[in-house]
Amino acid sequence: MMKLNGTTIPLPSPMPLSQLLEEQGYPNQARIAVEKNGEIVPRSAYADTWIDDADILEVVSFVGGG
């Protein structure tokens, strides 16, 4: 099972990072940063980065303010 922000998540099969993010409630991928196994994933690589059971992800959302 992979981990997302410290929570264990069942992953039935490998999938692209972009799909996983959408399924986990991150539809606006322009406002987040993702770290996979300790390395930042460029936003342009979300669709080409595959996630499997052994991965650990950290997702940070950016919040605007004034």
Side-chain angles (χ1 to χ4, degrees), residues 5-6 9 39:
N5 291 344
I9 296 175
E39 298 200 16

Side-chain angles (χ1 to χ4, degrees), residues 1-11 13-17 20 34-39 41 49-58:
M1 292 226 233
M2 58 120 359
K3 285 192 176 187
L4 174 62
N5 291 344
T7 301
T8 302
I9 296 175
L11 194 63
S13 62
M15 68 175 61
L17 175 57
L20 177 71
V34 179
E35 181 181 277
K36 175 186 174 191
N37 302 327
E39 298 200 16
V41 178
T49 300
W50 284 79
I51 305 302
D52 63 32
D53 266 351
D55 290 321
I56 299 172
L57 299 178
E58 292 293 327

Side-chain angles (χ1 to χ4, degrees), residues 16-38:
L17 175 57
S18 56
Q19 179 183 346
L20 177 71
L21 290 171
E22 191 167 317
E23 288 181 7
Q24 293 299 316
Y26 297 98
N28 187 355
Q29 296 173 14
R31 299 188 55 85
I32 61 173
V34 179
E35 181 181 277
K36 175 186 174 191
N37 302 327

